[in-house]
Structures are given as structure tokens and as C-alpha cells.
Amino acid sequence: MTRLRKDPRVWGTGSGSGSGTERGIVRVDTPEGLSAIRRPDCAAVIWQRSPLPRFQTWIDGLAREQLPRTRVILRSELVRDTITTVAQTCGTPECAEREMLVEDVSALAAVFANVANARYLRLRLDIVTTDACRKFHVDAVRARLVCTYRGTGTQYGHLSGGGEPQGVFSVPTGAPTVMRGTLWPEIPASGLLHRSPPIGGTGETRLLLVLDPIDDPEEEPEDHVVH
């Protein structure tokens, strides 16, 4: 497995609150800790880390049309070259910060492929400017990794008796999160829901990485497959 280094030149040390568990949510300080999603008591794992200010300043300052965007199915070892090509095609400026982004997406893909035991991944880099997926839900997948590189992070909460979360919390920008989906054999259900933050009308632009495990690319005809 490719190891995702916690390189101080790229990522900071996170919130400093350390590893811990809160009602089905495990917080970890290393990429290897994302494997905690396999624990019976775990519905989601958040790797607590923060991007360096110069990286965040760079990505926040890019014009919307310069942000990399794609939807593709591929093996994890092809992610680096694919995202490099995507960045070039989208006009993302070539610089050290772009290389940080490419390397991070590639390394997260390798880690998640191992955690989810996935032969292929569906990789999405989405530019979000609306209230897409603003309703709380659980994804119809086995597991999903999300990482918000720009903008407000994914929001989550636990289901209450009235059908809405008792409290709403946001994953920090830059913090990768692995969540179980409806296809995970989980009994009983954890009640953990999530959504995209409602940003419609605010002028905010989010850049979101989404990784899903794919067993057979031939069953996903709507997606381009990289071989």
C-alpha cells in the first residue's frame, strides 16, 4: 500500500485534540487510522489534519474555472497521472501547490482502496456552488471517502426522533473522512447522517474529492473508465 505521509511541508497537525471516539465517529491522527472504519462501533473516521496556509491560500485564490474537475473510474495506481492530466486540461496553474494536490489525491486513493478492499475506485472532483445534497442522508455505497479542499467541509449529525440530526457539525477543510454507506453490513444502523453544507447564494465555491469503491466497472456505464 502506498503510504500517505503526514508531511509538514504540505499538511499541518490538525486540531490538536488527539485521537478519540464520539458516538460512532473515530478521530485519528494518521492515514493508517482510517482503517478504523472496519471497527464494529465505527460509522465514520475523520483524519484530523490541516493544510498549510500557503496551500489553502493558493487553492482559495484560484478562479472557479481553474479548479480541477472530473468523474472517472480507475485503479488507484493510475490516479496520479490522471489527476495531473485533469489539472492541465482544466488550466490549474502548474506550481508546487498543484503538485501537493495531485500527490494528496493520489495517496488518499491508495489508502482508501486498501481500506475498502476495492479493485477500482470512482473518483470525483466536484466544484460545488449550490445547495447540492443539502438533505441529510446516507450514501448508497459500501463506504465513501470525502475530502473538501476548498470551502466548508461536509456536515454531519446523528438522527433524532424527529428525523433530523440533534446537532450539526462540520468536518474541517482538508480533513479526509471515511463513512459507511447503506451497503455496509451494519446492524444496528448507527443513525449517522451527512450532507453538503447549504451554500446557495453565498458566493462560496467548494472543491470536493469523493472516492467510492467499485467492484466491476462494466456495471457503471455512465462513467468513463481509465485502463
Side-chain angles (χ1 to χ4, degrees), residues 11-39:
W11 301 104
T13 56
S15 63
S17 58
S19 301
T21 306
E22 53 169 295
R23 196 180 169 190
I25 299 173
V26 177
R27 300 177 184 275
V28 299
D29 293 323
T30 67
E32 291 81 10
L34 293 174
S35 63
I37 195 67
R38 300 169 181 159
R39 287 171 34 177

Side-chain angles (χ1 to χ4, degrees), residues 2-12 29-32 47 49 103-104 107-108 111:
T2 301
R3 293 176 63 86
L4 180 57
R5 295 178 302 161
K6 195 170 185 180
D7 189 335
R9 295 172 298 173
V10 182
W11 301 104
D29 293 323
T30 67
E32 291 81 10
W47 175 16
R49 65 171 194 177
E103 291 289 349
D104 194 67
L108 284 176
V111 170

Side-chain angles (χ1 to χ4, degrees), residues 67-208:
L67 293 171
R69 54 204 176 274
T70 191
R71 179 184 174 120
V72 65
I73 292 176
L74 73 178
R75 292 185 181 274
S76 62
E77 60 265 25
L78 299 178
V79 169
R80 189 187 189 286
D81 289 345
T82 299
I83 298 302
T84 297
T85 300
V86 167
Q88 292 170 345
T89 302
C90 294
T92 308
E94 184 175 2
C95 58
E97 288 77 15
R98 190 183 84 172
E99 186 64 17
M100 291 177 187
L101 177 63
V102 170
E103 291 289 349
D104 194 67
V105 172
S106 176
L108 284 176
V111 170
F112 182 65
N114 179 269
V115 167
N117 194 27
R119 295 177 57 239
Y120 290 85
L121 298 172
R122 178 188 291 112
L123 185 154
R124 289 166 30 209
L125 274 173
D126 291 340
I127 300 172
V128 184
T129 60
T130 64
D131 289 344
C133 298
R134 66 173 296 172
K135 293 184 178 180
F136 282 99
H137 64 282
V138 179
D139 297 309
V141 295
R142 187 166 71 251
R144 171 169 288 179
L145 182 146
V146 296
C147 183
T148 304
Y149 286 108
R150 169 171 162 169
T152 306
T154 298
Q155 295 182 331
Y156 64 91
H158 286 90
L159 189 65
S160 64
E164 288 292 328
Q166 297 173 340
V168 178
F169 309 92
S170 295
V171 176
T173 301
T177 302
V178 176
M179 299 174 288
R180 292 181 179 180
T182 59
L183 302 184
W184 188 284
E186 180 185 27
I187 300 175
S190 67
L192 182 68
L193 306 177
H194 68 275
R195 71 176 181 183
S196 294
I199 61 172
T202 67
E204 180 176 337
T205 298
R206 301 175 67 226
L207 178 64
L208 178 68

